[in-house]
Amino acid sequence: MILWLCLCWGFSPSAGQPDSELMARYLEEQLLADYSIVEQVARRVPRQAKFLQRLETRPRMSEFHVRSTIISRYAFTTVSCTMVNSGSEAREAVFEMQIPAAAFISNFTMSIGNKTYYGEVTGKEKKNSSDDKERHKKPQSPTEGRENGYETFKASVFIPRKMQARFMLHYEELLQRRLGKYEYTVSIRPQQLVGRLRVEVNILENSGIVSLEVPPLRNSKQKGNGKAEGDVSPPPSTVIGHTKTLAKVTFNPSVVEQTRIARNGILGDFIIRYDVNRELSVGDVQILNGYFVHYFAPTDLPPLPKNVVFVLDSSASMVGTKLKQTKEALFTILQDLRPEDHFNIIGFSNRIKVWQQDRLVPVTPNNIRDAKKYIHNMSPTGGTNINGALQTGAKLLNDYIAQNDIDARSVSLIIFLTDGRPTVGETQSSKILSNTKDAIRDKFCLFTIGIGNDVDHKLLERMALENCGMTRLFQEDEDAASHLKGFYDEIGTPLLSDIRVDYPEDDVEQVTQNFFPNYFNGSEIIIAGKLINRTSDKLHVEVTASNSKKYILLKTDVAIDLPSRNDIRGVPGLDDGKGDNNYIERAWSYLTIKELLNSRLKSDDSQEKDSLMEKAKSMALAYNFVTPFTVLKMKEAGLHSEPPQEEFISPSTDGIGEKVQSLQGHKAPPGIRREQDKQRIKISKTSADGDPHFVIDFPASKFSVCFNIDGEPGDILRLVSDHKESGVTVNGQLIGAPAPPNGHKKHRTYFSTITILSNKPERSYLEITPRRVILDDGERLVLSCGRSAVVRSRSLEVSISAYSNITVTIRDSISFVILIHHYKKPAPYQRNHLGFYISNSKGLSSDSHGLLGQFLNHEVKLLQESLNTLRQEAGQNQTEALKANPTNTLKVKGRLVPVVWKQRRIYNGQQEVDCWFAKNNADKLIDGSYKDYLASHPFDTGTGFGTIHSL
């Protein structure tokens, strides 16, 4: 018996199949349970003699089953295939399976007759020269190897006459988010009609599954195109069912249905796309058995401006379809550029032609029109000067950044496209790599695209890796225009830059990459690591990043519960396995190995490369992964071993869902201190809180004044009005609630929304509710009140303490604190509401006004006559004497205001304040009457009574 196993890159030609639906129906009826059926087919369908003759030349596939479980983006896939040799002599059977290039094979077994063989992952020995030649025929890294992103696994055996062979392949992958969707793909190419063909995919996402779709089968020419046209209905026989967090998708076509799709047995790719529910969050942290994985995917963020240079190959090899499709894609891409973007175009062959010399131009209708003309007139000629083109592009972008006052928040990048290898100028790959790296100097990112089979994929991949970019490879017969546009869509909308995710050094170890130069809309950042302190009940997480003009620091504490909580064993489709695989641990090992492979690819130091290889090999052996440094060797299990069973070995799901918490954020600027995250601003007594109760503190007079405002639900009160001087206005909107039983009020009112407006030095506003904060300074940012965060722009800082308070600091001289009042089980007369406190008013002018603002720079006096009388009372200090006198008088701006002594509780009842209380909606205490302080809308900045302005 001959047995061999190999990994192949590319596709195998498919064998032809009979053009006969009659035969298909007959085989379906018999289910091909036993290939003795072939003799019956020969007797009953004599016209198929030619087909039967071909059928005799190779074993037939009776079963092809794919079973997959996806848990929090990590996919475990098992492929089971049975082949039957009904012939009179031994025949060779070839099992082929296209698997994602990013996947790792974790197991392979097969049985032939009564013998079973299993795969054992072992380390590769160092290659000799002949092996090196063979190695260079294949890409070095399976990750992102081609745009279609697939490799072919092949196993070949000879099956004795009248016997069958069963193959079982296991592989794992971490799904990547592109264009807002995760995509799981199964290649269904048995190359013959199959009696029993079934694909079953089970998905568990605790965040909630949204936008689940199963498009029609995709053939090889469509691969990589995330937006295939006509995605209307799933393939025939597909059944989709899902709840909020679980989904099950099956594909079970009959032989007749297979014939209608493809008579040669090459059905195509079965695809499932979905996303998870993110609500206001931008990520979740999941912890299981000492390992964690953190998914970070912000939403609802404004895009950053781009400075982009397109470097396009126009050499002679691009003639025909390749250049035509490239032009078509660029026409669409140019149309998608935003008004705040800047761009330029370089065409290169043996000569390098720059569209706009020494500059990047803004996106205007005229510039877009002229750029399209330039692209339209590009003609293929000459050789391929890759080094010269990249040097020109890098110099152009570097000079533009250095010589122009570009927006510091913008993202700069080069998009480079070629179909060949360097033939003109510098042709040595190592020199091109070093020259490119020296030219870019970590100032921007390089994204590379290769078209066709002649491209130097290793060069493009390494150039992208070394310069914080990505690479894609398209096959020559594919739709390059849609691929190029799809790739641009992935990187065309940068949302964040300089993202850093930190965890306490004493709590975690072996954390994967935690700094990322850019985050693009629709993608996802993934970090994983090990916990050191397993006895801790929480993991502290901090995220910093930059977006637009803002810098944000976000924090959260993720609870570490016992794995027994939320144990979902018993969920159909997820608990029938025999394995005990911690899916988070395997996701961590997967990411770690990928990073080691990429680091080795980027390294030029042979000693470092060997060290990285040994680390990757050691981890691959520990987790039974087939990588470029490990190999799968087949061994016989013994004469009495059991053949591989069809039961799916699913990962352990203990504790899944027990810890899913969200993060949201941006980057803190250099110098931001961790101590700043603690409450560092002292809250004064001057406030409006509760029903609402107002308190004004007068430190110089050593007493406080308080009053109530009995407003109506929907009223908007002007609390601080200094729009003309400092540019600051604060308005609070009331919400109503029934009055408590036996109370003297007809209803209660609370602040449901606080709006803070500022127009100096730039226009911005904050809208705060008990659930969220909206910050808009020309670009809208939404933050949850349930997540701690710090957001900084040039003149504004917003610090959120989760479910507690929000501190707003304007130009470091004005500070407000908004308390968040949440009721777990509110009484009928209670509502979630806000309290407003003035912490620092130094930046407000002496002309500031509003219910609170008018007192900030004025003193109120208690009449001296009252004091003299009270001091005469023996045995009492001044304060006690004041309390004893039921009525006293305040002098405010020449007005006499009768007041009584009261006590108020502020800061959620944590502090008691003694104050002089002014009755009747603060009559005579405030300028004018209560109704003079009503704003027409939340953004009303009017400063005088009856005056209305809008920001």
Side-chain angles (χ1 to χ4, degrees):
M1 183 181 297
I2 300 174
L3 174 67
W4 58 272
L5 178 69
C6 66
L7 277 173
C8 300
W9 299 75
F11 302 97
S12 300
S14 59
Q17 291 298 309
D19 186 9
S20 172
E21 190 166 310
L22 175 64
M23 173 60 74
R25 290 186 183 278
Y26 182 79
L27 294 179
E28 179 185 21
E29 292 172 2
Q30 298 299 321
L31 292 176
L32 293 179
D34 186 339
Y35 263 77
S36 62
I37 190 66
V38 174
E39 297 178 0
Q40 299 176 33
V41 173
R43 291 195 299 268
R44 297 186 186 184
V45 194
R47 293 183 181 179
Q48 303 300 326
K50 185 177 180 180
F51 162 65
L52 293 175
Q53 184 178 4
R54 283 196 296 168
L55 190 65
E56 284 286 333
T57 63
R58 63 172 182 162
R60 293 291 301 176
M61 189 179 296
S62 63
E63 294 180 346
F64 182 84
H65 288 181
V66 179
R67 182 94 181 269
S68 176
T69 293
I70 303 170
I71 306 178
S72 293
R73 296 78 147 172
Y74 195 76
F76 298 81
T77 302
T78 297
V79 182
S80 174
C81 173
T82 300
M83 292 188 178
V84 179
N85 178 16
S86 57
S88 57
E89 58 184 30
R91 303 287 186 187
E92 183 184 28
V94 179
F95 167 66
E96 286 189 21
M97 183 67 191
Q98 290 181 17
I99 66 174
F104 285 148
I105 293 171
S106 57
N107 200 2
F108 178 66
T109 56
M110 58 186 179
S111 65
I112 302 98
N114 61 351
K115 291 186 178 182
T116 298
Y117 302 84
Y118 66 93
E120 180 180 308
V121 178
T122 62
K124 279 186 179 178
E125 298 179 359
K126 287 192 175 182
K127 302 283 185 179
N128 56 35
S129 58
S130 62
D131 292 331
D132 288 339
K133 292 180 182 179
E134 182 66 25
R135 178 185 62 188
H136 289 312
K137 295 179 182 179
K138 303 183 293 184
Q140 291 293 307
S141 171
T143 60
E144 303 298 337
R146 301 178 178 179
E147 169 59 22
N148 56 42
Y150 286 82
E151 300 170 2
T152 299
F153 175 89
K154 180 184 290 187
S156 177
V157 298
F158 275 83
I159 305 177
R161 61 184 296 273
K162 304 299 182 182
M163 297 187 72
Q164 69 177 20
R166 177 174 294 169
F167 306 87
M168 190 171 292
L169 175 68
H170 301 261
Y171 62 88
E172 303 173 19
E173 61 179 313
L174 184 61
L175 302 185
Q176 300 299 308
R177 188 169 183 257
R178 292 182 181 176
L179 301 176
K181 295 284 184 70
Y182 303 100
E183 183 172 292
Y184 175 76
T185 304
V186 175
S187 176
I188 306 175
R189 290 172 169 80
Q191 302 189 42
Q192 54 182 279
L193 300 178
V194 183
R196 290 190 290 271
L197 190 154
R198 179 179 174 85
V199 177
E200 179 181 321
V201 181
N202 296 282
I203 305 172
L204 171 64
E205 294 286 353
N206 266 296
S207 301
I209 299 171
V210 296
S211 305
L212 178 67
E213 61 182 41
V214 182
L217 292 169
R218 180 176 64 188
N219 61 42
S220 61
K221 292 188 178 183
Q222 295 172 317
K223 282 187 177 180
N225 182 7
K227 294 184 178 179
E229 293 185 4
D231 284 9
V232 178
S233 59
S237 80
T238 300
V239 177
I240 305 171
H242 70 92
T243 62
K244 181 179 179 181
T245 59
L246 288 166
K248 182 175 183 178
V249 180
T250 59
F251 174 57
N252 189 22
S254 65
V255 177
V256 172
E257 288 170 324
Q258 294 174 48
T259 305
R260 291 171 179 167
I261 297 171
R263 295 187 177 93
N264 60 1
I266 302 179
L267 277 65
D269 295 325
F270 183 76
I271 304 166
I272 298 174
R273 298 190 188 111
Y274 72 95
D275 198 14
V276 298
N277 185 15
R278 303 178 196 279
E279 297 179 349
L280 291 177
S281 66
V282 293
D284 62 75
V285 179
Q286 300 186 18
I287 303 172
L288 182 63
N289 297 338
Y291 293 84
F292 74 88
V293 63
H294 177 190
Y295 300 100
F296 185 81
T299 57
D300 298 326
L301 297 173
L304 300 175
K306 296 188 301 296
N307 309 307
V308 57
V309 176
F310 299 96
V311 183
L312 308 176
D313 189 343
S314 60
S315 61
S317 59
M318 288 285 289
V319 68
T321 304
K322 285 185 285 188
L323 187 58
K324 179 184 176 183
Q325 292 186 336
T326 300
K327 290 180 178 181
E328 290 175 0
L330 260 294
F331 291 158
T332 307
I333 289 171
L334 290 174
Q335 209 62 45
D336 289 346
L337 292 173
R338 297 181 177 85
E340 62 271 21
D341 296 338
H342 291 76
F343 73 105
N344 203 340
I345 303 166
I346 297 174
F348 74 95
S349 53
N350 56 326
R351 297 175 56 195
I352 298 167
K353 300 177 182 179
V354 181
W355 171 49
Q356 296 288 338
Q357 290 293 332
D358 303 326
R359 63 180 181 141
L360 270 66
V361 299
V363 175
T364 64
N366 288 342
N367 285 338
I368 295 297
R369 180 199 62 201
D370 293 344
K372 288 182 177 180
K373 288 181 180 178
Y374 175 80
I375 293 172
H376 176 75
N377 292 328
M378 288 176 65
S379 58
T381 181
T384 308
N385 189 353
I386 290 178
N387 182 75
L390 287 171
Q391 293 298 303
T392 303
K395 184 179 186 303
L396 182 67
L397 201 47
N398 274 316
D399 290 347
Y400 176 76
I401 294 171
Q403 297 172 8
N404 294 272
D405 184 21
I406 68 166
D407 198 326
R409 61 200 175 102
S410 63
V411 172
S412 299
L413 51 94
I414 291 178
I415 298 178
F416 176 83
L417 181 145
T418 184
D419 74 329
R421 299 171 180 269
T423 61
V424 176
E426 181 59 66
T427 59
Q428 190 174 339
S429 294
S430 59
K431 291 280 186 66
I432 295 174
L433 288 167
S434 61
N435 291 343
T436 303
K437 193 170 184 179
D438 290 343
I440 292 177
R441 300 194 299 274
D442 296 325
K443 290 187 177 180
F444 45 85
C445 296
L446 171 64
F447 297 86
T448 60
I449 301 167
I451 300 179
N453 298 321
D454 296 330
V455 71
D456 188 344
H457 170 251
K458 183 178 178 182
L459 174 63
L460 297 185
E461 180 182 32
R462 186 167 173 183
M463 281 197 304
L465 282 174
E466 289 184 350
N467 298 284
C468 69
M470 297 183 291
T471 187
R472 291 287 187 272
L473 180 68
F474 310 142
Q475 294 303 305
E476 196 164 339
D477 60 347
E478 295 177 349
D479 183 1
S482 62
H483 286 315
L484 180 56
K485 178 59 171 63
F487 181 51
Y488 174 80
D489 287 343
E490 289 185 47
I491 62 176
T493 309
L495 298 183
L496 294 174
S497 59
D498 299 327
I499 305 101
R500 183 179 180 86
V501 185
D502 290 310
Y503 314 89
E505 292 182 359
D506 296 334
D507 291 347
V508 299
E509 62 180 354
Q510 299 184 43
V511 177
T512 59
Q513 178 183 350
N514 68 334
F515 178 80
F516 305 86
N518 295 302
Y519 166 77
F520 296 99
N521 187 39
S523 64
E524 185 171 59
I525 289 172
I526 307 174
I527 309 103
K530 297 175 65 174
L531 299 181
I532 298 175
N533 184 8
R534 295 199 179 193
T535 61
S536 176
D537 60 353
K538 63 182 179 180
L539 174 65
H540 185 71
V541 183
E542 294 189 359
V543 179
T544 60
S546 66
N547 164 259
S548 187
K549 304 169 187 176
K550 310 175 192 67
Y551 300 91
I552 299 184
L553 166 67
L554 297 116
K555 304 169 295 176
T556 192
D557 288 323
V558 182
I560 303 176
D561 298 327
L562 295 175
S564 58
R565 293 191 183 182
N566 300 306
D567 187 349
I568 65 165
R569 285 179 293 185
V571 175
L574 296 175
D575 67 335
D576 55 352
K578 302 176 182 178
D580 188 25
N581 297 323
N582 179 346
Y583 77 98
I584 292 181
E585 179 181 356
R586 296 192 73 82
W588 165 78
S589 65
Y590 176 97
L591 284 173
T592 302
I593 293 172
K594 292 289 185 183
E595 289 184 7
L596 289 169
L597 295 177
N598 287 337
S599 296
R600 183 180 184 275
L601 183 63
K602 291 189 291 183
S603 176
D604 289 320
D605 184 272
S606 58
Q607 191 172 0
E608 182 185 29
K609 290 172 78 76
D610 289 342
S611 174
L612 292 168
M613 180 188 71
E614 290 302 321
K615 289 179 181 179
K617 182 193 297 185
S618 176
M619 181 165 285
L621 292 174
Y623 289 91
N624 216 57
F625 285 148
V626 178
T627 70
F629 309 126
T630 54
V631 65
L632 193 64
K633 292 186 177 180
M634 302 305 296
K635 293 189 176 182
E636 188 172 349
L639 293 176
H640 302 290
S641 63
E642 292 293 328
Q645 299 298 309
E646 294 184 21
E647 287 85 354
F648 176 67
I649 301 178
S650 68
S652 168
T653 53
D654 290 7
I656 290 176
E658 61 195 22
K659 302 148 284 277
V660 180
Q661 295 205 10
S662 302
L663 306 173
Q664 188 161 355
H666 306 253
K667 182 195 174 189
I672 189 167
R673 302 186 303 273
R674 297 291 189 230
E675 306 88 67
Q676 290 178 323
D677 303 334
K678 300 177 182 178
Q679 184 61 54
R680 64 196 185 283
I681 298 178
K682 183 178 179 181
I683 304 178
S684 75
K685 298 174 185 177
T686 302
S687 59
D689 204 347
D691 189 11
H693 302 316
F694 289 75
V695 176
I696 313 293
D697 188 34
F698 296 98
S701 302
K702 297 183 179 179
F703 63 77
S704 300
V705 177
C706 50
F707 59 92
N708 294 346
I709 293 294
D710 296 326
E712 296 293 327
D715 281 355
I716 300 172
L717 307 184
R718 188 174 294 115
L719 304 178
V720 177
S721 181
D722 195 28
H723 184 72
K724 290 183 178 180
E725 301 299 330
S726 67
V728 174
T729 302
V730 181
N731 296 326
Q733 185 163 8
L734 298 178
I735 188 175
N742 304 320
H744 64 281
K745 293 185 176 182
K746 61 179 180 179
H747 58 247
R748 282 189 165 190
T749 53
Y750 304 94
F751 285 119
S752 62
T753 305
I754 299 291
T755 306
I756 302 174
L757 307 105
S758 174
N759 70 342
K760 294 182 180 180
E762 52 195 9
R763 179 184 180 277
S764 61
Y765 76 84
L766 277 164
E767 185 179 290
I768 301 169
T769 71
R771 292 182 56 84
R772 68 180 186 177
V773 177
I774 298 176
L775 170 58
D776 194 324
D777 55 0
E779 294 171 342
R780 182 182 174 93
L781 177 65
V782 181
L783 299 171
S784 169
C785 291
R787 299 286 177 260
S788 295
V790 177
V791 183
R792 271 191 175 181
S793 60
R794 296 176 184 175
S795 60
L796 182 68
E797 178 180 320
V798 181
S799 178
I800 302 175
S801 179
Y803 298 116
S804 177
N805 62 75
I806 299 155
T807 301
V808 179
T809 304
I810 302 172
R811 299 189 296 275
D812 294 324
S813 61
I814 303 171
S815 297
F816 305 125
V817 177
I818 295 89
L819 295 190
I820 304 171
H821 299 273
H822 272 287
Y823 298 97
K824 291 184 178 179
K825 296 181 179 180
Y829 53 85
Q830 292 176 324
R831 295 288 186 271
N832 291 338
H833 65 281
L834 303 172
F836 176 74
Y837 293 75
I838 298 178
S839 175
N840 181 3
S841 60
K842 291 180 181 178
L844 295 172
S845 74
S846 58
D847 293 329
S848 63
H849 211 269
L851 288 170
L852 294 176
Q854 63 186 295
F855 300 106
L856 297 177
N857 294 289
H858 296 278
E859 284 297 322
V860 175
K861 294 183 179 180
L862 190 64
L863 291 184
Q864 191 67 29
E865 292 78 5
S866 299
L867 290 174
N868 291 336
T869 303
L870 293 168
R871 288 193 184 109
Q872 295 174 3
E873 299 184 20
Q876 291 183 322
N877 60 30
Q878 178 177 323
T879 302
E880 292 299 322
L882 291 173
K883 290 180 182 178
N885 191 10
T887 303
N888 288 276
T889 305
L890 295 178
K891 188 174 183 179
V892 183
K893 299 180 181 180
R895 300 187 296 266
L896 299 181
V897 184
V899 292
V900 296
W901 191 261
K902 271 199 174 187
Q903 287 186 330
R904 282 278 166 84
R905 289 187 176 274
I906 58 176
Y907 310 151
N908 280 325
Q910 297 177 13
Q911 184 173 340
E912 196 172 74
V913 177
D914 296 325
C915 62
W916 289 107
F917 178 74
K919 299 180 179 179
N920 301 324
N921 277 335
D923 183 37
K924 297 183 180 180
L925 176 68
I926 60 175
D927 296 336
S929 67
Y930 153 69
K931 292 187 177 180
D932 293 324
Y933 295 86
L934 294 181
S936 61
H937 54 80
F939 304 98
D940 181 3
T941 60
T943 55
F945 301 139
T947 304
I948 297 175
H949 300 285
S950 295
L951 183 65

